[in-house]
Amino acid sequence: MRALVIDEFGNLPAVREVLDPDCPPDGVLVRVAATGVCRSDWHAWQGHDDGVVPPHVPGHELAGEVVATGPLVRSWRAGDLVTVPFVCACGVCDVCRAGEQQVCPHQEQPGFTHWGSFAELVALHHADANLVRLPAGMSPVVAASLGCRFATAYRALTVHGRVRAHDEVAVHGAGGVGLSAVQVAVAAGAHVVVVDPSAGARAQAASFGAAVTIDPAGLAPEAVAELVVQATGGGAHVSLDAFGSSGTAVASVLGLRRRGRHVQAGLLLGPHARAGIPMDRGIAWELEVYGSHGMAAHEYPAMLADVAAGRLDPAGLVERVVGLDQAADALAALGSGTAGAGITVVVP
C-alpha cells in the first residue's frame, strides 16, 4: 500500500510503498476513505510522543470501509462503513466495563501505538468495542473530522463542562477542537468568547456563533484572562483550553468565575507537560479542573443525533481536502501557522 512515512522526527515525511498491515485477531483492516490532519499527528512527527518510533505512519482521525476481519470479531464484516475513536480500548478491563473506554489503560491508538491512517489501509484493534457505523448519508470526509477533534470537544463540554443555556463559555484556541467547541457551546445556548491570535480563526469562530473574539497576541496569560473576565461579565462558567500550552492553560483557569470549570483538551507535551496551573485560585474559588481525552464509541450516538438533527455541522469545519501526496505539507503547516483555522482532510 501507499503510506506517508516518518523516517526521522522533524524531517518531512514521504509517501512510499510499504507492506500492508496485518489484521489483528480481534480487529479489522479498514480501507481508508478519508483521514484528518490533526495537531496530535504533528506532535508525533516532532517526536513529542514517547510511543512513536520511526519509521512510522501517522494518522488517527479516519473513516473507511472494512475489508478484513479477525477471527474474534463478531459485530463487523467486510463492506461495513465505519469510523472509530482515536482511543481503541480493550473493552474488557475494569475501566472499560465501567464505561470509561477513553482512558483504558490497555488502549491502542492508530498513528501512535501502531501505524496509522495516512495510508491506504489501517489496522484497528478491539473492533467490537470501538468501531462506529457511519450514519446513512454521512460522507467519509465529514466522519473523519469526528474521531478526535469534534468528539473531544463534544465530550469536553457536555460531560466535563456541563454547558447549559446562558452559560458564559471561553474557548482558548480556535483550531479544530476550538471551533468544534464553539459549535457545541452555541448549540447548547451558551454565550461564547473565543481567544486566538489568528484573525482568520477568530472570524471563523464568529461565523459559528462566537459572540466575542479576543486577540491575545503579545499579552501575558493574566492579561488575556482579564479580557475574558470583562467579556463574560465576571468570568466564564466553563473555559476550555483547546490549544495546549502553559500560557493558554493558565489564562483559561484565571478567566473563570468562582465555582467555574476548566477543561484541558489541548495536549500539554514537551516543555508544557507540567504546566503551572494556578491551584491557589482553584482552592480559593473552588474551581473544577478536568482533563478530557476523546470520547468512547458508546457515547457517539448522542453526538451523531445532534449532527443528524442539524444542531451541529462538522462539515462546516472542513476547509481543505487533499490527496496523500499533499499530506506532508498539510502536516508541516500545523507547525508553521499556515494551516488555517479549519480541518484539512486527506483522501488517500
Side-chain angles (χ1 to χ4, degrees):
M1 68 174 184
R2 296 177 76 238
L4 183 74
V5 183
I6 298 170
D7 286 307
E8 186 174 347
F9 294 135
N11 286 353
L12 202 65
V15 176
R16 66 168 188 259
E17 296 281 336
V18 297
L19 293 176
D20 292 353
D22 294 327
C23 184
D26 64 352
V28 298
L29 281 186
V30 169
R31 186 172 303 283
V32 179
T35 184
V37 183
C38 178
R39 188 168 175 82
S40 300
D41 302 313
W42 181 86
H43 281 297
W45 170 41
Q46 294 299 307
H48 297 162
D49 192 299
D50 292 339
V52 174
V53 179
H56 182 76
V57 176
H60 61 286
E61 296 181 317
L62 67 113
E65 178 184 352
V66 174
V67 295
T69 60
L72 302 179
V73 175
R74 297 291 176 262
S75 302
W76 304 94
R77 63 187 63 185
D80 287 340
L81 301 179
V82 300
T83 186
V84 68
F86 70 87
V87 171
C88 289
C90 75
V92 298
C93 70
D94 289 345
V95 173
C96 287
R97 287 199 297 270
E100 305 292 353
Q101 288 91 337
Q102 74 283 348
V103 290
C104 170
H106 312 295
Q107 65 189 252
E108 301 280 353
Q109 293 186 19
F112 300 97
T113 62
H114 62 284
W115 283 15
S117 53
F118 283 12
E120 294 175 328
L121 294 170
V122 64
L124 300 175
H125 297 260
H126 318 306
D128 287 335
N130 296 296
L131 295 192
V132 176
R133 195 176 305 277
L134 292 193
M138 178 175 284
S139 76
V141 168
V142 172
S145 73
L146 297 176
C148 175
R149 284 166 282 190
F150 206 93
T152 294
Y154 186 88
R155 187 170 182 275
L157 290 186
T158 61
V159 174
H160 298 309
R162 307 190 300 280
V163 173
R164 299 167 297 186
H166 310 301
D167 274 354
E168 296 286 343
V169 175
V171 177
H172 294 259
V177 173
L179 291 174
S180 301
V182 172
Q183 282 201 18
V184 173
V186 168
H191 176 267
V192 181
V193 175
V194 169
V195 181
D196 196 286
S198 164
R202 296 195 303 273
Q204 192 160 0
S207 74
F208 287 156
V212 179
T213 62
I214 294 171
D215 181 2
L219 299 178
E222 294 78 6
V224 174
E226 181 55 34
L227 291 177
V228 171
V229 170
Q230 293 172 14
T232 55
H237 296 91
V238 181
S239 187
L240 174 72
D241 178 6
F243 178 74
S245 73
S246 299
T248 50
V250 169
S252 178
V253 172
L254 292 179
L256 290 169
R257 66 182 59 203
R258 296 170 191 270
R259 300 301 306 276
R261 300 179 290 282
H262 162 74
V263 186
Q264 186 68 43
L267 294 178
L268 293 168
L269 298 174
H272 302 281
R274 298 292 183 267
I277 300 293
M279 288 309 296
D280 55 338
R281 175 71 62 86
I283 295 167
W285 288 17
E286 291 194 354
L287 304 179
E288 299 177 47
V289 177
Y290 294 96
S292 196
H293 191 242
M295 187 168 77
H298 71 82
E299 293 183 291
Y300 269 60
M303 178 179 68
L304 294 176
D306 283 341
V307 173
R311 290 185 289 271
L312 299 174
D313 179 27
L317 294 168
V318 178
E319 267 195 357
R320 292 164 298 278
V321 178
V322 302
L324 190 60
D325 290 325
Q326 290 77 48
D329 289 338
L331 191 63
L334 292 173
S336 66
T338 60
I343 293 174
T344 297
V345 176
V346 174
V347 175

